[in-house]
C-alpha cells in the first residue's frame, strides 16, 4: 500500500492517514518528544491535530512521522523558490515605461552610442539612472531571475486548521464515495480517484452511475488485461467512443477534433505577431489526433461493440450525434473487417444500419414537432427522455406555455436525479430575466455570456415571475417528497453554519486540483486582518526557460472606474505587485505576489477585487502552477533581503493547475471589500492578460453562485420534511452535518436524493 499517496489524498479532506486500527489507539497515550516536534512542524504550516489523531501518532514509528512531514511540505511548496523579482516590493521601485524604453535603446545601440551602465548575467545593459538594480533579484528589463531562495516564513497565522485521523476504513469510504458519486467529479476528486484505483480492489456490488467515472475504471481494467470485465461498464456505443477518446486525449468528456484544433489555435496565438504560433499549434494538434490502433485494440473494441445490449437501430441512433467521429473510428479500428468474421453478426448489423442511415433519431422527431408547433407530439416525445426534457424545459415553457409544459414535466419529475431538478431551480431566475446575462461554459472551459431567449419578449414581467415561482415550487416539492419518503429514526440534527455559505455543487465543475482542502465553488472565506496577499508559483520541476505567467488583480471602483494591478501597472489604489518575471530558474520555479490593503480599498469605495492568473507565453497555464491567497489576523512579514512573502500557515486557499488544463487564464477568487470576504470561484478564459477576463461574466457567475440553493438550505428542507429537532452542538446530535462532511460528494448526493 502506498502510504504517500494515501497521505496526499487524506490531506485534501483535512486529515492524516495512519495505517492503524482505531480500537488499538490507547486512551491515555502520552505524546513523545518526536510527536511534539511533529506537531510543532504542523503548526508552522498552519495545521493542528485533533485529540484522537494526537493519541494515534504515539503508536506509529518515528520514520512515518518524518514521511508525513515531507508530504505536507511538498504539498505546501515549502522547498520551492518563492523569491520574487523585487526585494522589499511593498515599497515601489519607481520604475516607469521610460526606464524600459531607455534600456531598449541602450541594448539596441550599446555603449558605443554613449550608454553607460551595468551588464547583467542575462546580457542586458541597464543604463545608469534607470532601474535601481540593488532592489532586484534579477533583470528588470527581461524579467529573468538570478537569485533563488529556499527560505519561507512559517507560523505567522494564529488560526490553525485541524487535521483529523483517517484510517484504512475512512480511505475505503472515500474511494467508494468517489466511485458511486451521482454528480460529475471535479478535477480534485478525479485525481484522487485515479490515485486510489490501483490501491483498492473494485467492490463487486458497486454501482457506477457517472459515465465519466466509469471511464477511469475501464482504463484501469484494460491496463490489467480485464477487457471483458470492462465491457460491463460500456453499455452504449457512446460509452465506447468516450473511452477511446479518453485514452487518446486524456479528457473524460467527448471533445470533437475540430474543437480541440480550434482551441489549440487560440491558446498559441500571441499579441505580438512574431511570437504567434497558432497555425503550427493547429497542425500539431491535427497530427496528435490521428488515429492509429494495433490489432489487439481493434479486436477488443469490435468485441465491445458486438456485445452492446441494444438493437442495431438503437445503437446507430446512439452513434448519430457523433457520426463524424464514428466514421473515423470505424476505419481506424478496422471494424468493417471484423464485422465479416464469424461471431460478429451484431457488429455487422450495427454498421449496416449506421452506414445506410436506416434509423430515425429522437432529436429529429422533436425538431420536426417544434417546427410544426405540435405541443402534444413534442411533450409526448420529451416524456420518453426525462433528462433531455429537463435540459430544454425553459425553452419549451416559452414556446408552448408554462402551465401545459410543467403539467407534463411533473409526471416524470420524480424519475430525474435530484441534481437536475436543483439545476433547474438554480437557473430559473436568471433564465426568465430579460435583463440578466447567462453564462455558457463549453467543455473546453472558456466562459462567455449568452443573450436572453428572444421568446421572453412575448411575456410580461408578472408572467415571467410566475414561471420562476412554478419551477422553484416544483423542485422544492419534489425534494421534500423524497425526504418525507425516507424512513428516518434520528430525531435530532446539527447543521454547521458554514454550510449556509456553500452552494450545492451542481453544474459548476472545478477544473483545478486542491491539494490542501476541497473547498466547494462559492465557499466564502472571511478576511480577519487588513491585508490579503495573492501568490503565484510556477516552474516546479522544469528546466530554466522563458515561461511567462502573470498574476493580476482588477479593482472595481465607484462610477464604473477600474484599477488594474498587473505586470504593466505594478501599483494602484490598494494594491502592490512584486514585479513581472518572464523566465524561470532551474527546477525550483519562481513566484509573483500582489498585496491588497483592505483599508485603502474601503477608503477608495472599492466594491470588488477580482483575482486572475494568465499565461502570457503561448500555450495554456503551466502544469502544476499554484495560485491562491494568504490572510492573517496579524500583519504578514515580507523579507527585505529577498522579497519572499510566502507563509504556508497563512494560506487560506490554493489550487494547482492540472495536466489536462485547457485554459489560458483563470479567475480564481473575488474579494467582496464591504463584507471582507473572499469568494472562491473558478472561471477559465482564453486571453494573455487580465483584460481578457470579462467583468460581466464574473458578475454573472457571482450572481449565479449567490442564487443557488446552499447545502444549509437543503438541510432545512430535510428538517421540515422529516420533523427533526435542531441542536447547537455536533456532539449532541443524532446526525451531524459538518463542513468536513460536505467535502464528500457521494454523501452530499445522497442527501440531495433524499437518501439521508
Amino acid at each position: 500500500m502506498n502510504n504517500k499517496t494515501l497521505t496526499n489524498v487524506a490531506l485534501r479532506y483535512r486529515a492524516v492517514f495512519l495505517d492503524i486500527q482505531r480500537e488499538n489507539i490507547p486512551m491515555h497515550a502520552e505524546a513523545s518528544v518526536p510527536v511534539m516536534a511533529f506537531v510543532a512542524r504542523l503548526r508552522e504550516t498552519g495545521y493542528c491535530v485533533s485529540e484522537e489523531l494526537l493519541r494515534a501518532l504515539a503508536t506509529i514509528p518515528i520514520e512515518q512521522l518524518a514521511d508525513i512531514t515531507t508530504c505536507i511540505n511538498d504539498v505546501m511548496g515549502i522547498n520551492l523558490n518563492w523569491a520574487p523579482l523585487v526585494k522589499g516590493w511593498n515599497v515601489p521601485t519607481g520604475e516607469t515605461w521610460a526606464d524600459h524604453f531607455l534600456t531598449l535603446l541602450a541594448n539596441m545601440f550599446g555603449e558605443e552610442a554613449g550608454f553607460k551602465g551595468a551588464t547583467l548575467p542575462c546580457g542586458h545593459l541597464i543604463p545608469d539612472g534607470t532601474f535601481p538594480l540593488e532592489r532586484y533579484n534579477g533583470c528588470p528589463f527581461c524579467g529573468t531571475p538570478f537569485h533563488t531562495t529556499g527560505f519561507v516564513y512559517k507560523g505567522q497565522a494564529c488560526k490553525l486548521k485541524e487535521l483529523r485521523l483517517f484510517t484504512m476504513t475512512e480511505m475505503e469510504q472515500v474511494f467508494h464515495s468517489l466511485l458511486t458519486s451521482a454528480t460529475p467529479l471535479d478535477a480534485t476528486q478525479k485525481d484522487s480517484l485515479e490515485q486510489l484505483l490501483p490501491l483498492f480492489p473494485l467492490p463487486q456490488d458497486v454501482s457506477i452511475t457517472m459515465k465519466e467515472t466509469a471511464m477511469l475504471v475501464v482504463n484501469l481494467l484494460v491496463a490489467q488485461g480485464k477487457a471483458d470485465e470492462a465491457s460491463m461498464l460500456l453499455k452504449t456505443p457512446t460509452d465506447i467512443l468516450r473511452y477511446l477518446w479518453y485514452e487518446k486525449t486524456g479528457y473524460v468528456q467527448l471533445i470533437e477534433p475540430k474543437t480541440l484544433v480550434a482551441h489549440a489555435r487560440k491558446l498559441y496565438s500571441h499579441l505580438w505577431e512574431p511570437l504567434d504560433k497558432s497555425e503550427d499549434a493547429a497542425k500539431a494538434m491535427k497530427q496528435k489526433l490521428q488515429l492509429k490502433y494495433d490489432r489487439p485494440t481493434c479486436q477488443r473494441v469490435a468485441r465491445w461493440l458486438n456485445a452492446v445490449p441494444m438493437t442495431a437501430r438503437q445503437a446507430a441512433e446512439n452513434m448519430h450525434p457523433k457520426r463524424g467521429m464514428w466514421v473515423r473510428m470505424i476505419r481506424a479500428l478496422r471494424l468493417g473487417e471484423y464485422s465479416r468474421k464469424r461471431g460478429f453478426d451484431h457488429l455487422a448489423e450495427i454498421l449496416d444500419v449506421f452506414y445506410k442511415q436506416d434509423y430515425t433519431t429522437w432529436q429529429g422527431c422533436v425538431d420536426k414537432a417544434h417546427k410544426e408547433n405540435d405541443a402534444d407530439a413534442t411533450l409526448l416525445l420529451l416524456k420518453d427522455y426525462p433528462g433531455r426534457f429537463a435540459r430544454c424545459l425553459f425553452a419549451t415553457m416559452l414556446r408552448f406555455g408554462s402551465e401545459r409544459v410543467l403539467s407534463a414535466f411533473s409526471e416524470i419529475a420524480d424519475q430525474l436525479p435530484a441534481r437536475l431538478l436543483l439545476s433547474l431551480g438554480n437557473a430559473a431566475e436568471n433564465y426568465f430575466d430579460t435583463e440578466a446575462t447567462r453564462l455558457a461554459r463549453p467543455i473546453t472551459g472558456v466562459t462567455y455570456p449568452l443573450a436572453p431567449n428572444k421568446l421572453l419578449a412575448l411575456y410580461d414581467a408578472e408572467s415571467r415571475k410566475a414561471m420562476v415561482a412554478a419551477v422553484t415550487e416544483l423542485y422544492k416539492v419534489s425534494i421534500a417528497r423524497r425526504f418525507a419518503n425516507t424512513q428516518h429514526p434520528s430525531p435530532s440534527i446539527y447543521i454547521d453554519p458554514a454550510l449556509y455559505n456553500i452552494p450545492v455543487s451542481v453544474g459548476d465543475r472545478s477544473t483545478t486540483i486542491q491539494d490542501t482542502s476541497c473547498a466547494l465553488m462559492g465557499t466564502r472565506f472571511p478576511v480577519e486582518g487588513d491585508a490579503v496577499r495573492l501568490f503565484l508559483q510556477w516552474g516546479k520541476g522544469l528546466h530554466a526557460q522563458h515561461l511567462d505567467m502573470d498574476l493580476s488583480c482588477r479593482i472595481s471602483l465607484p462610477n464604473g472606474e477600474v484599477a488594474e494591478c498587473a505586470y504593466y501597472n505594478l501599483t494602484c489604489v490598494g494594491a502592490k505587485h512584486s514585479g513581472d518575471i518572464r523566465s524561470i530558474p532551474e527546477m525550483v520555479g519562481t513566484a509573483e505576489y500582489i498585496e491588497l490593503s483592505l483599508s485603502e480599498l474601503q477608503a477608495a469605495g472599492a466594491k470588488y477585487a477580482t483575482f486572475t492568473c494568465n499565461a502570457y507565453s503561448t500555450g495554456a497555464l503551466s502544469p502544476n502552477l499554484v495560485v491562491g491567497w494568504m490572510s492573517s489576523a496579524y500583519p504578514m512579514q515580507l523579507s527585505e533581503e529577498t522579497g519572499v512573502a510566502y507563509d504556508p500557515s497563512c494560506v487560506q486557499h490554493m489550487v494547482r493547475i492540472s495536466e489536462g488544463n485547457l485554459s489560458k487564464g483563470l479567475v480564481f477568487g473575488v474579494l467582496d471589500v464591504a463584507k471582507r470576504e473572499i469568494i472562491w470561484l473558478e472561471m477559465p478564459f482564453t486571453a494573455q492578460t487580465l483584460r481578457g477576463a470579462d467583468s460581466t461574466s464574473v458578475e454573472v457567475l457571482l450572481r449565479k453562485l449567490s442564487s443557488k440553493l446552499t447545502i444549509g438550505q437543503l438541510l432545512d428542507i430535510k428538517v421540515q420534511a422529516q420533523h427533526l429537532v435542531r441542536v447547537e452542538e455536533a456532539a449532541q446530535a443524532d446526525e451531524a452535518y459538518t463542513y468536513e462532511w460536505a467535502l464528500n460528494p457521494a454523501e452530499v448526493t445522497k442527501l440531495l436524493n433524499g437518501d439521508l
Side-chain angles (χ1 to χ4, degrees):
M1 191 64 70
N2 190 329
N3 283 349
K4 181 178 179 181
T5 297
L6 297 176
T7 299
N8 287 337
V9 172
L11 190 60
R12 295 172 179 176
Y13 294 86
R14 290 190 181 176
V16 170
F17 170 75
L18 300 179
D19 192 6
I20 61 175
Q21 299 294 325
R22 266 195 164 82
E23 55 269 22
N24 295 335
I25 300 175
M27 292 299 296
H28 303 288
E30 292 186 5
S32 63
V33 173
V35 169
M36 296 310 296
F38 170 77
V39 173
R41 298 290 78 74
L42 284 183
R43 290 181 65 87
E44 292 177 349
T45 54
Y47 292 108
C48 61
V49 299
S50 67
E51 182 181 349
E52 181 188 36
L53 177 56
L54 182 62
R55 287 189 278 107
L57 291 171
T59 66
I60 65 173
I62 297 176
E63 291 77 13
Q64 192 172 344
L65 293 175
D67 292 340
I68 296 171
T69 303
T70 301
C71 287
I72 293 176
N73 287 346
D74 288 344
V75 167
M76 300 305 298
I78 288 177
N79 300 319
L80 302 178
N81 169 43
W82 288 93
L85 186 64
V86 179
K87 304 172 184 177
W89 49 269
N90 57 323
V91 178
T93 60
E95 68 176 67
T96 65
W97 285 107
D99 296 329
H100 287 269
F101 182 66
L102 287 173
T103 305
L104 175 64
L105 294 178
N107 284 275
M108 289 176 63
F109 300 108
E111 295 181 350
E112 296 80 4
F115 290 100
K116 296 182 179 180
T119 300
L120 301 182
C122 58
H124 287 123
L125 171 64
I126 307 299
D128 293 336
T130 56
F131 300 99
L133 289 180
E134 70 280 0
R135 295 286 310 279
Y136 292 88
N137 288 315
C139 176
F141 183 63
C142 69
T144 300
F146 305 142
H147 304 291
T148 60
T149 177
F151 165 79
V152 296
Y153 287 102
K154 296 178 182 178
Q156 294 180 88
C158 62
K159 191 172 183 179
L160 303 176
K161 300 180 284 286
E162 185 178 87
L163 295 176
R164 54 202 172 111
L165 172 65
F166 257 31
T167 64
M168 194 62 72
T169 301
E170 283 74 35
M171 292 306 305
E172 289 175 351
Q173 288 173 352
V174 167
F175 175 63
H176 192 271
S177 73
L178 293 172
L179 273 179
T180 58
S181 174
T183 55
L185 302 181
D186 63 23
T188 306
Q189 295 159 352
K190 174 178 172 288
D191 183 73
S192 296
L193 181 58
E194 286 180 316
Q195 293 187 56
L196 295 176
L197 273 170
L199 303 182
F200 292 102
L202 285 174
Q204 294 295 323
D205 58 344
V206 68
S207 175
I208 303 174
T209 57
M210 291 306 304
K211 299 294 186 182
E212 297 170 20
T213 305
M215 295 306 105
L216 306 180
V217 179
V218 170
N219 192 52
L220 175 71
L221 292 174
V222 170
Q224 294 176 343
K226 301 177 181 178
D228 291 337
E229 291 183 32
S231 67
M232 302 299 293
L233 297 171
L234 302 172
K235 301 176 182 178
T236 69
T238 299
D239 293 343
I240 297 171
L241 181 62
R242 187 189 298 274
Y243 167 71
L244 292 170
W245 209 234
Y246 166 64
E247 187 182 42
K248 181 70 178 175
T249 66
Y251 305 122
V252 291
Q253 295 168 291
L254 278 171
I255 308 177
E256 294 201 17
K258 62 180 181 181
T259 303
L260 289 171
V261 171
H263 194 68
R265 187 178 286 111
K266 287 181 182 178
L267 284 179
Y268 285 84
S269 61
H270 201 280
L271 293 171
W272 192 34
E273 190 172 348
L275 295 179
D276 189 286
K277 300 178 182 178
S278 55
E279 293 306 316
D280 291 340
K283 291 178 182 177
M285 181 58 72
K286 288 180 181 178
Q287 183 72 22
K288 177 183 176 182
L289 295 178
Q290 287 186 356
L291 302 176
K292 295 180 181 179
Y293 293 104
D294 56 21
R295 284 285 178 178
T297 302
C298 297
Q299 187 177 32
R300 181 171 67 243
V301 175
R303 290 202 311 270
W304 284 346
L305 202 54
N306 190 63
V308 165
M310 305 174 78
T311 66
R313 292 197 176 191
Q314 289 173 333
E317 182 182 352
N318 183 264
M319 296 162 70
H320 182 79
K322 301 294 181 185
R323 185 175 181 85
M325 294 180 69
W326 267 115
V327 169
R328 293 181 61 214
M329 283 291 182
I330 289 170
R331 293 172 182 169
L333 291 162
R334 305 177 180 89
L335 295 183
E337 175 185 334
Y338 280 94
S339 69
R340 293 188 290 273
K341 294 186 176 182
R342 182 180 299 176
F344 288 90
D345 298 338
H346 190 44
L347 173 63
E349 190 179 3
I350 291 173
L351 295 185
D352 183 59
V353 173
F354 178 75
Y355 274 113
K356 290 180 178 178
Q357 297 192 45
D358 186 18
Y359 56 88
T360 302
T361 65
W362 174 87
Q363 188 61 53
C365 295
V366 172
D367 292 342
K368 181 175 181 292
H370 266 175
K371 289 180 181 179
E372 296 174 352
N373 207 31
D374 189 340
D376 291 333
T378 300
L379 296 176
L380 191 63
L381 287 165
L382 289 175
K383 285 194 289 185
D384 290 337
Y385 290 88
R388 298 186 188 182
F389 195 172
R391 290 176 176 85
C392 68
L393 176 64
F394 298 159
T396 308
M397 289 169 63
L398 293 177
R399 180 176 291 274
F400 298 122
S402 61
E403 186 174 343
R404 185 177 191 178
V405 172
L406 286 177
S407 176
F409 185 74
S410 62
E411 296 176 21
I412 52 89
D414 287 347
Q415 301 175 31
L416 289 165
R419 62 185 176 88
L420 271 183
L421 290 175
L422 184 59
S423 296
L424 292 174
N426 290 335
E429 187 173 353
N430 275 345
Y431 188 94
F432 291 106
D433 186 349
T434 55
E435 303 298 324
T437 303
R438 295 180 293 131
L439 287 181
R441 186 171 178 177
I443 52 181
T444 51
V446 181
T447 306
Y448 60 88
L450 286 177
N453 191 318
K454 292 181 180 180
L455 295 181
L456 287 170
L458 299 176
Y459 297 87
D460 58 25
E462 291 301 319
S463 298
R464 295 195 301 271
K465 287 181 181 178
M467 291 181 182
V468 174
V471 172
T472 302
E473 181 66 17
L474 187 146
Y475 92 83
K476 286 187 175 180
V477 167
S478 177
I479 291 175
R481 187 163 54 243
R482 297 177 195 215
F483 281 131
N485 291 337
T486 303
Q487 296 295 326
H488 202 275
S490 303
S492 63
I493 184 172
Y494 168 76
I495 303 174
D496 191 327
L499 301 183
Y500 288 92
N501 292 324
I502 304 174
V504 178
S505 183
V506 172
D508 293 315
R509 192 181 328 195
S510 174
T511 58
T512 56
I513 296 176
Q514 304 173 47
D515 288 314
T516 59
S517 64
C518 295
L520 304 173
M521 186 91 78
T523 299
R524 293 174 177 266
F525 295 85
V527 178
E528 296 182 356
D530 200 39
V532 172
R533 187 172 291 172
L534 314 183
F535 60 85
L536 171 69
Q537 212 286 347
W538 77 100
K540 172 186 176 182
L542 299 177
H543 293 293
Q545 59 183 289
H546 173 75
L547 188 63
D548 189 0
M549 303 291 126
D550 290 322
L551 179 66
S552 309
C553 181
R554 174 190 286 148
I555 300 168
S556 301
L557 297 170
N559 302 318
E561 295 182 11
V562 171
E564 296 175 343
C565 186
Y567 70 90
Y568 50 81
N569 188 38
L570 299 182
T571 59
C572 70
V573 58
K576 297 172 184 175
H577 196 291
S578 66
D580 182 29
I581 293 178
R582 282 160 274 173
S583 297
I584 59 172
E586 183 76 9
M587 304 305 285
V588 293
T590 191
E592 290 185 6
Y593 304 93
I594 290 177
E595 179 140 326
L596 301 172
S597 170
L598 267 72
S599 59
E600 292 181 30
L601 293 174
Q602 288 173 332
K607 185 178 180 183
Y608 291 117
T610 304
F611 315 153
T612 70
C613 61
N614 299 80
Y616 191 84
S617 303
T618 53
L621 288 167
S622 174
N624 293 324
L625 175 150
V626 173
V627 66
W629 66 83
M630 295 179 284
S631 174
S632 176
Y634 302 111
M636 295 175 285
Q637 291 181 292
L638 189 151
S639 169
E640 292 185 6
E641 182 180 350
T642 60
V644 170
Y646 180 68
D647 184 337
S649 70
C650 296
V651 172
Q652 271 198 314
H653 192 56
M654 72 177 183
V655 297
R656 176 166 56 89
I657 300 299
S658 66
E659 295 284 346
N661 170 61
L662 286 172
S663 63
K664 196 172 184 65
L666 178 72
V667 176
F668 62 92
V670 174
L671 168 65
D672 187 323
V673 178
K675 294 182 179 179
R676 298 176 72 90
E677 290 179 336
I678 298 174
I679 305 158
W680 153 239
L681 55 81
E682 183 181 307
M683 194 189 84
F685 61 98
T686 301
Q688 283 182 256
T689 68
L690 161 71
R691 293 176 180 175
D694 180 32
S695 58
T696 300
S697 297
V698 175
E699 291 176 3
V700 170
L701 183 53
L702 284 173
R703 286 198 300 270
K704 181 179 178 181
L705 289 172
S706 64
S707 65
K708 280 191 168 187
L709 185 78
T710 66
I711 296 178
Q713 291 169 338
L714 180 62
L715 285 166
D716 284 343
I717 298 175
K718 171 185 171 70
V719 169
Q720 294 178 5
Q722 297 179 344
H723 307 292
L724 304 178
V725 177
R726 296 188 58 164
V727 295
E728 299 301 321
E729 298 291 337
Q732 301 171 355
D734 297 302
E735 283 190 35
Y737 294 93
T738 62
Y739 182 82
E740 288 73 23
W741 165 85
L743 299 178
N744 189 324
E747 291 301 307
V748 177
T749 301
K750 287 180 182 177
L751 173 69
L752 191 57
N753 290 332
D755 296 334
L756 292 178

